[in-house]
Amino acid sequence: MVVLGIETTCDETAAAVVERRFDGSGVILSNVVRSQAKEHAAYGGVVPEIAARAHVEALDKIISRALIDAGHKFETIDAVAAAAGPGLIGGVIVGLTTAKAIALVRRIPLIAVNHLEAHGLSPRLIGSVPFPYCLFLASGGHTQIVAVRGVGDYVRIGTTLDDAIGEAFDKTAKLVGLGYPGGPLVEREAERGNAARFALPRPMLGRADANFSFSGLKTAVRLEAQRIAPLAEQDVADLCASFQQAVIDVVVDRLWAGLEMFSPLFGTPTALVAAGGVASNRALRAALHGVAIEARTVLVIPPPELCTDNGAMIAWAGAERLACGLTDPLDVSPRARWPLDTVTKPPDAVSAADS
């Protein structure tokens, strides 16, 4: 089956065409992404109204380019999928409404995709990753450890109690005078910094649960920056390196807690999967690789272009759900909030969970 996917939950306007083959494998036929980073840079973060208007202006052209690049037309698409949440509601409405129009006119199935589910299933687009696996979802808006038991079948093991990991990177970048988006800039500065210079806290370290907290770490960075102000270039690099190392230490500890909770409930995970924009961080990837080796499992991380928000992951999640017989009516609602463990399960998954 060939599925058109639309992503507009935050500050990327994206569309893609993905094919799911009979053997369950996938191939990306096109993947077009327009970043709004320039529109939001002056504000140090995403402005919802600006984001929604930018989606309206760009989406039709992005969809047309995705179809042309894939060698397809609306007439040759089997289904259309759109991110229906969670996200900035204005942008979600733009993408989902567009998908509804396409589905109505072409009389093809509509799949309203949970944005988090799309991140969680994206590794299966690049290779065979059987269920169940342990997902570490790390993005600008979300930080979770999830047991992925099947399509539509998710159990949240841990989550952040305050800031998401990507938000902490962005706010740290702003505190030390870097631009937006902050994650890549903090990573770049950290590469030339001394991670041992500042004794930053490691929140939640050693806790039996698998939850995260980053607000105290962010505050500690601000206090250190104020203490040594004005900041020289090396000060910025050292603060970024110290912050990044603190984040990595916390993530490794929290993942171990999550893996210890995973196995008794769901069996040995087939893989440790990392997804979301922060999963592109090279230092974090190296640390996750070490966790996977010690846990005697494999680490699976999509390439960077599939970690950040994109249409291919939405199309793939739509294809996976469609293969399970899951579609949505044209009156399906957009959602600003949509917990991953509340998505609709396939009938066989519901039966298995109830038994």
Side-chain angles (χ1 to χ4, degrees):
M1 67 183 75
V2 178
V3 178
L4 170 66
I6 298 170
E7 159 61 31
T8 55
T9 60
C10 193
D11 60 339
E12 279 89 17
T13 309
V17 178
V18 167
E19 180 180 1
R20 188 180 189 275
R21 296 168 174 164
F22 291 109
D23 63 359
S25 63
V27 58
I28 300 173
L29 303 180
S30 66
N31 193 21
V32 181
V33 180
R34 181 193 180 276
S35 172
Q36 299 177 9
K38 291 182 179 180
E39 285 93 329
H40 303 287
Y43 304 95
V46 179
V47 180
E49 183 176 350
I50 292 176
R53 292 189 179 194
H55 290 312
V56 171
E57 294 172 359
L59 186 55
D60 287 351
K61 294 179 181 178
I62 296 294
I63 292 173
S64 296
R65 172 50 56 190
L67 289 170
I68 291 171
D69 289 354
H72 276 274
K73 301 178 180 179
F74 285 116
E75 291 81 2
T76 59
I77 298 298
D78 297 310
V80 57
L88 301 177
I89 193 62
V92 174
I93 290 172
V94 172
L96 183 58
T97 301
T98 301
K100 288 180 179 181
I102 295 170
L104 178 63
V105 172
R106 295 305 315 157
R107 298 183 180 181
I108 57 177
L110 169 72
I111 304 98
V113 171
N114 181 296
H115 177 86
L116 306 182
E117 180 175 35
H119 275 304
L121 294 176
S122 61
R124 290 170 52 85
L125 174 56
I126 62 172
S128 176
V129 185
F131 303 117
Y133 54 82
C134 183
L135 168 67
F136 173 50
L137 179 58
S139 69
H142 306 278
T143 305
Q144 298 181 14
I145 300 174
V146 179
V148 181
R149 302 196 296 177
V151 175
D153 192 359
Y154 312 101
V155 178
R156 191 174 67 185
I157 297 174
T159 188
T160 180
L161 303 180
D162 40 60
D163 292 344
I165 187 171
E167 182 183 3
F169 268 92
D170 285 342
K171 288 185 177 178
T172 294
K174 188 174 183 179
L175 284 171
V176 299
L178 300 176
Y180 175 84
L185 299 175
V186 170
E187 180 183 7
R188 185 191 67 191
E189 291 296 317
E191 290 176 352
R192 63 182 189 85
N194 175 12
R197 178 178 170 187
F198 298 100
L200 299 178
R202 269 68 171 163
M204 311 291 282
L205 216 66
R207 289 269 296 257
D209 60 54
N211 292 326
F212 299 81
S213 173
F214 295 105
S215 63
L217 174 58
K218 180 187 65 181
T219 299
V221 172
R222 176 173 58 82
L223 293 175
E224 290 289 354
Q226 291 174 345
R227 181 178 64 84
I228 63 173
L231 300 178
E233 288 186 7
Q234 193 58 49
D235 295 329
V236 171
D238 292 345
L239 275 169
C240 288
S242 299
F243 165 79
Q244 180 173 272
Q245 188 57 56
V247 168
I248 290 172
D249 290 347
V250 168
V251 167
V252 168
D253 179 79
R254 304 291 71 215
L255 275 177
W256 275 117
L259 288 167
E260 289 177 0
M261 297 170 65
F262 186 107
S263 296
L265 295 172
F266 313 110
T268 303
T270 62
L272 172 59
V273 168
V278 182
S280 299
N281 183 289
R282 292 183 296 274
L284 180 59
R285 283 178 175 238
L288 295 178
H289 184 65
V291 171
I293 291 175
E294 288 191 47
R296 298 185 178 181
T297 187
V298 296
L299 176 65
V300 180
I301 306 179
E305 63 270 18
L306 293 183
C307 286
T308 53
D309 292 351
N310 64 90
M313 70 178 192
I314 303 299
W316 176 250
E320 291 257 68
R321 293 184 66 80
L322 185 59
C324 294
L326 294 170
T327 61
D328 293 280
L330 289 175
D331 62 353
V332 63
S333 299
R335 307 187 192 186
R337 298 183 182 276
W338 189 2
L340 184 55
D341 50 8
T342 66
V343 301
T344 304
K345 297 180 176 64
D348 55 346
V350 173
S351 299
D354 293 340
S355 60

